Amino acid sequence: MPVYTPEFEESPEIDEIETAPEEMDEEEFQGYISRLLEDSIQYCDELSTDRVTASKYYSGHLPEQEDEGRSGATSYDTRDTINAILPALMRVFFGANKIMQFTPKGPEDVQMAEQCTEYINNLILEKQPNFFTTMMAVFKDALIRRTGVLKYWHEETEEVKSHNFSGLDEQQAQILAGDDDVESVEMEPSGQTAEGIPLFNVTLTRRIKGGDIKIEALPPEEFLISRTAKSVESADIVAHRSYKSVSDLIALGYDQDEIEEYAGTEESFSNNEEYINRHSDSAARHQGSLEPSSRKVLYCESYVRIDKDQDNYSELLRVCTLGTTHNVVNVIPTDHIPFVLFTPDPQPHTSAIGGASVTDVVADIQRIKSAILRNVMDSLVMAVNPRMMVQEGAVNMKDVLNTEVGSIIRAKNPSAVTQLSMPFVGQAALPILGMLDEIKASRTGITKVSQGLDVENLTSTAKVGIDAGVKAAQAHIELIARIFAETGLKPLYKGVLKLVCQHQDREKMARLRNQWVPIDPRSWDADMDLTVDIPLGGGNDAEKMGFLENIMKVQDALLQRLGPENPIVNLRQHYQTLSRIVSLAGFQDPSMFFTDPAQYQPPPQQPKEPTPEEEYIKIQGQKVQADAQNDMGKLELEREKMLRLDDREKDRIESQAQLSLMDMEAKYNTQMDGAKIKAVMERDREEMKQNAAMLQAQLAQQNLPNA
């Protein structure tokens, strides 16, 4: 059988060594950024027309009055609906409950997740200046103009402080000057100590570097995004355009000569219809009349995905440009886009800033109701003030045109003035207004019942119907709140957590749950997920309170029957029920009323006051013990006395034995073993001491139990 032998082809010689691809040149990069910015600006200006229309509906400027001399009454359905939704939304996000909670990945992360939740909530909700008004502006933008935009970033700060110290020696001054943040030290002699050590007055200047998380609601015309983007994360470009003064740009670190090249006399957003509509007096201002440092320059902070280094992978870059030509002045790699969007009714598979607002849903109702209302008012006016038919030349026209009540009309004959009968026909259109209100309620869920009950509703509507109306409105508002939380607040919290982990490089003290605790985000997991605690259709607060009270009663019964240590409910779960009741009652801090069992530390136990019987027994015991100690002392004295007598007798015997030994040696002329005789005597002495000790121990055992 033939054996197959594979043939190996010789590998071709490598003529050229592969090299890293060259980066995109500056001109090509500049052109790419400019095209993206110009297209996104054009797209934003196109959307501005719709946003201006929505703003006019909210302010009641639309629909416009068609004819002079006719009624210009406007139905404020858009404003009324949005103002009915907004308070409920603010109560959801700024109530007692914390709706955003970080989720631990494992049992070991539970404490870290709780600390992250408390710290980020405290950092965002309490430490941010005007955060309530910021979120209210974002929610209003979303409800009126489809999209609200929030920007967050970490802003580094520097603070210079001077401290004065007096009466320091040179060593103490050197210790103070050794701190890292000390910028300068000034020393002046101030005398010396009694030992001759010179003293100084020290002025210490510290430059303290820090940073804060900033959150801002952007005006809609300042936010740019590519028209094909379905989300902020997948967009080719996301940018914040603004007009900054020359002094502001110099403070950011840009060169003044470079800024002067782009500083012009153009008014901010002079071509943007939305900006002009919101700032109606902008056309009256002249940029040329301002001082040079106040001149405005177009500044765009863009976040672009581009393969600048030509390695076939797009990187996220932060690109800053100046002027209307979008000249690139700064390029920095980054790992996040600091913008979040809020849309009340997002449409899937469409633009990131698409969707529908409350204005889109209610605008046609406002137009129809305004038209009907104007016609009704015109009919009423014509019925109250009917038109007059006069005979020309037979009537004083000034008297006819005078609308003063009771005024006289001078006429040559009674038939010269005739009133044209104009009956009021507006009542036939009033039911249509009610029908339109029902259509609006079915679209938005906002009804008169949901906004507040009047006497008519209380007397003519059953409780079931009232509850159904309230729950329908509540479910609609909760859905909007859940959408805002999932699409807006969730990325905001995760972004702020990432910024904290990146920029807080040391441990700091923070007040959490009314306690100062050390916080070190360097050990946190910056990729923790979030859960949103906004239940849909969970009932109103009164129903929830009733459910919690019933749960608390069952817990109380189980704790009383089975004790605090049982397999069904424990004290921690009982505390959670109480804290939820306190939160629903409108109090943000449950610790004002109840203490968390996990943080409870029992007070030190106080000594128990003895009873008279126990005091008598204690005294008798002390007396018996004292008597026993006295007996032991007497025994010890007797023992010492016996040992001393024994030693004295032994010494006497030993002396006599020595004398007898010397006599015998002299008499018989022989050598006697004195050491052996002495050892026998010492052995007898030790045996006697041991016997005395055993006797003392036996006596002690007999007396101690009585004590």
Side-chain angles (χ1 to χ4, degrees):
M1 184 176 181
V3 179
Y4 172 73
T5 304
E7 296 180 359
F8 296 95
E9 296 182 356
E10 295 181 359
S11 59
E13 296 181 359
I14 300 176
D15 297 332
E16 298 180 357
I17 300 176
E18 294 183 359
T19 58
E22 296 182 358
E23 289 192 3
M24 185 183 297
D25 58 40
E26 294 183 3
E27 184 177 355
E28 183 181 1
F29 183 73
Q30 174 72 55
Y32 181 78
I33 298 299
S34 297
R35 288 193 300 271
L36 286 177
L37 279 174
E38 286 297 332
D39 183 68
S40 60
I41 290 175
Q42 183 180 1
Y43 179 50
C44 178
D45 291 340
E46 292 172 2
L47 296 176
S48 292
T49 303
D50 292 339
R51 292 197 288 253
V52 169
T53 302
S55 300
K56 289 182 177 179
Y57 272 107
Y58 178 78
S59 61
H61 293 152
L62 285 180
E64 296 179 348
Q65 185 177 3
E66 297 178 355
D67 300 325
E68 290 291 337
R70 302 292 297 272
S71 173
T74 302
S75 178
Y76 283 80
D77 292 86
T78 302
R79 177 187 286 270
D80 294 342
T81 305
I82 291 174
N83 289 349
I85 294 175
L86 196 58
L89 281 179
M90 302 305 291
R91 184 169 61 247
V92 170
F93 289 101
F94 290 91
N97 296 330
K98 293 180 174 61
I99 62 174
M100 308 299 296
Q101 297 181 0
F102 286 96
T103 305
K105 293 182 178 180
E108 68 279 359
D109 299 331
V110 172
Q111 185 176 1
M112 178 186 67
E114 291 179 354
Q115 192 178 66
C116 286
T117 300
E118 292 290 336
Y119 184 68
I120 300 300
N121 272 299
N122 180 69
L123 184 65
I124 291 179
L125 297 178
E126 299 181 12
K127 298 299 183 182
Q128 288 298 315
N130 304 321
F131 184 68
F132 180 87
T133 56
T134 299
M135 293 306 299
M136 188 170 180
V138 170
F139 291 164
K140 265 197 165 183
D141 283 338
L143 296 174
I144 299 172
R145 307 173 187 91
R146 299 178 184 169
T147 306
V149 183
L150 205 63
K151 180 183 179 183
Y152 63 93
W153 71 97
H154 181 271
E155 186 175 281
E156 295 184 355
T157 59
E158 280 190 356
E159 186 178 6
V160 178
K161 290 185 177 181
S162 296
H163 305 274
N164 297 320
F165 303 92
S166 60
L168 301 182
D169 58 26
E170 186 175 1
Q171 184 178 3
Q172 293 172 335
Q174 290 177 355
I175 293 175
L176 288 176
D179 293 342
D180 296 335
D181 54 1
V182 173
E183 190 176 54
S184 63
V185 179
E186 297 180 1
M187 301 175 59
E188 295 182 356
S190 63
Q192 59 183 8
T193 63
E195 294 80 9
I197 300 175
L199 300 177
F200 302 90
N201 293 331
V202 180
T203 301
L204 206 66
T205 303
R206 299 178 183 271
R207 183 176 295 273
I208 303 173
K209 294 184 178 181
D212 295 316
I213 302 295
K214 300 293 184 180
I215 300 176
E216 178 186 3
L218 296 186
E221 71 273 7
E222 293 189 6
F223 178 72
L224 305 176
I225 192 171
S226 55
R227 63 176 69 236
T228 59
K230 294 183 179 180
S231 65
V232 172
E233 292 75 17
S234 62
D236 294 332
I237 184 172
V238 182
H240 176 204
R241 65 166 173 172
S242 60
Y243 281 84
K244 294 186 178 297
S245 65
V246 173
S247 59
D248 290 338
L249 292 173
I250 293 175
L252 291 176
Y254 293 103
D255 183 66
Q256 184 174 2
D257 296 335
E258 187 177 19
I259 298 171
E260 291 291 342
E261 182 181 351
Y262 305 100
T265 59
E266 181 184 1
E267 174 63 28
S268 302
F269 299 101
S270 58
N271 298 324
N272 186 271
E273 184 181 357
E274 188 174 6
Y275 181 86
I276 295 173
N277 178 73
R278 196 166 60 250
H279 303 84
S280 58
D281 61 336
S282 61
R285 297 197 304 266
H286 298 283
Q287 190 75 6
S289 63
L290 299 176
E291 61 171 337
S293 61
S294 298
R295 289 174 297 166
K296 301 293 183 180
V297 180
L298 177 61
Y299 179 76
C300 293
E301 178 188 343
S302 307
Y303 293 82
V304 186
R305 296 190 182 277
I306 183 174
D307 185 16
K308 189 174 185 296
D309 54 6
Q310 301 293 315
D311 61 351
N312 299 324
Y313 294 98
S314 296
E315 295 85 23
L316 182 61
L317 302 177
R318 176 176 177 266
V319 182
C320 301
T321 62
L322 289 177
T324 55
T325 57
H326 310 301
N327 185 60
V328 177
V329 293
N330 195 7
V331 180
I332 304 173
T334 185
D335 59 352
H336 75 287
I337 301 176
F339 302 99
V340 292
L341 306 182
F342 295 79
T343 303
D345 186 13
Q347 299 298 322
H349 320 301
T350 59
S351 173
I353 54 178
S357 65
V358 175
T359 307
D360 296 327
V361 176
V362 182
D364 61 334
I365 302 293
Q366 182 166 329
R367 286 196 303 270
I368 299 172
K369 288 183 66 175
S370 297
I372 295 174
L373 186 60
R374 290 172 183 178
N375 290 328
V376 170
M377 295 302 297
D378 288 338
S379 177
L380 179 62
V381 170
M382 294 182 71
V384 174
N385 298 305
R387 299 182 68 181
M388 308 293 290
M389 184 175 64
V390 298
Q391 184 179 355
E392 188 176 359
V395 179
N396 189 327
M397 294 303 298
K398 290 184 179 180
D399 294 343
V400 175
L401 297 176
N402 184 12
T403 59
E404 183 180 353
V405 177
S407 61
I408 299 174
I409 298 178
R410 289 167 291 184
K412 294 180 178 180
N413 56 73
S415 62
V417 180
T418 305
Q419 187 180 67
L420 298 177
S421 178
M422 299 292 295
F424 175 65
V425 295
Q427 67 268 17
L430 295 180
I432 301 178
L433 295 177
M435 181 189 68
L436 292 173
D437 286 336
E438 291 179 1
I439 295 175
K440 182 181 69 174
S442 65
R443 292 180 182 179
T444 62
I446 304 301
T447 63
K448 292 181 180 180
V449 176
S450 65
Q451 297 181 51
L453 299 179
D454 55 18
V455 176
E456 182 181 356
N457 288 326
L458 287 172
T459 57
S460 62
T461 307
K463 181 179 183 300
V464 176
I466 295 174
D467 290 343
V470 173
K471 288 182 179 179
Q474 186 179 14
H476 188 85
I477 294 173
E478 286 177 352
L479 178 60
I480 296 176
R482 186 62 179 262
I483 292 172
F484 282 172
E486 293 285 353
T487 61
L489 278 187
K490 197 170 185 178
L492 172 65
Y493 271 66
K494 296 185 74 172
V496 170
L497 175 62
K498 182 175 292 187
L499 290 180
V500 170
C501 293
Q502 288 178 352
H503 295 281
Q504 187 172 324
D505 56 355
R506 66 182 65 180
E507 184 179 271
K508 63 184 297 186
M509 299 297 293
R511 186 179 180 182
L512 304 178
R513 297 179 180 178
N514 292 330
Q515 293 184 352
W516 289 96
V517 296
I519 299 295
D520 190 359
R522 291 174 293 181
S523 61
W524 291 355
D525 181 8
D527 297 324
M528 275 191 298
D529 199 5
L530 277 162
T531 56
V532 179
D533 186 14
I534 301 180
L536 298 179
N540 54 33
D541 290 347
E543 291 181 348
K544 294 177 182 177
M545 184 73 77
F547 294 148
L548 287 172
E549 289 177 353
N550 291 333
I551 292 173
M552 184 179 64
K553 291 179 181 178
V554 175
Q555 290 177 336
D556 289 338
L558 290 172
L559 288 172
Q560 291 178 3
R561 183 184 306 172
L562 304 178
E565 300 293 337
N566 65 81
I568 301 178
V569 63
N570 55 35
L571 294 177
R572 174 69 178 175
Q573 292 170 326
H574 193 268
Y575 169 77
Q576 293 293 340
T577 305
L578 293 173
S579 63
R580 293 290 291 178
I581 291 176
V582 172
S583 298
L584 285 176
F587 300 96
Q588 295 187 358
D589 188 8
S591 62
M592 297 170 57
F593 306 94
F594 306 103
T595 301
D596 189 349
Q599 300 177 356
Y600 176 73
Q601 295 181 355
Q605 295 183 356
Q606 299 294 332
K608 183 180 178 181
E609 292 293 334
T611 62
E613 293 79 4
E614 293 175 344
E615 190 71 25
Y616 176 77
I617 294 174
K618 181 180 178 181
I619 294 174
Q620 291 297 322
Q622 292 176 351
K623 182 178 179 181
V624 172
Q625 187 175 5
D627 293 341
Q629 290 178 353
N630 291 333
D631 293 340
M632 290 294 296
K634 292 179 180 179
L635 290 174
E636 184 67 23
L637 290 176
E638 292 294 333
R639 174 178 173 276
E640 290 294 333
K641 182 178 179 181
M642 182 179 64
L643 290 176
R644 284 197 295 269
L645 290 174
D646 181 69
D647 288 341
R648 188 182 306 166
E649 184 66 22
K650 291 288 185 182
D651 292 339
R652 186 183 65 80
I653 294 173
E654 183 179 357
S655 300
Q656 291 180 356
Q658 289 289 340
L659 292 174
S660 300
L661 183 63
M662 293 173 62
D663 292 341
M664 291 176 66
E665 288 178 351
K667 184 177 180 179
Y668 298 104
N669 195 18
T670 181
Q671 186 70 27
M672 303 296 292
D673 192 355
K676 185 175 181 179
I677 297 173
K678 186 176 181 180
V680 172
M681 295 179 68
E682 290 293 335
R683 183 187 62 189
D684 295 339
R685 181 178 294 183
E686 290 298 327
E687 289 180 356
M688 191 170 185
K689 288 182 179 180
Q690 291 177 1
N691 293 333
M694 291 175 61
L695 178 61
Q696 184 181 11
Q698 291 176 359
L699 292 174
Q701 290 179 357
Q702 293 176 1
N703 290 316
L704 284 179
N706 295 330

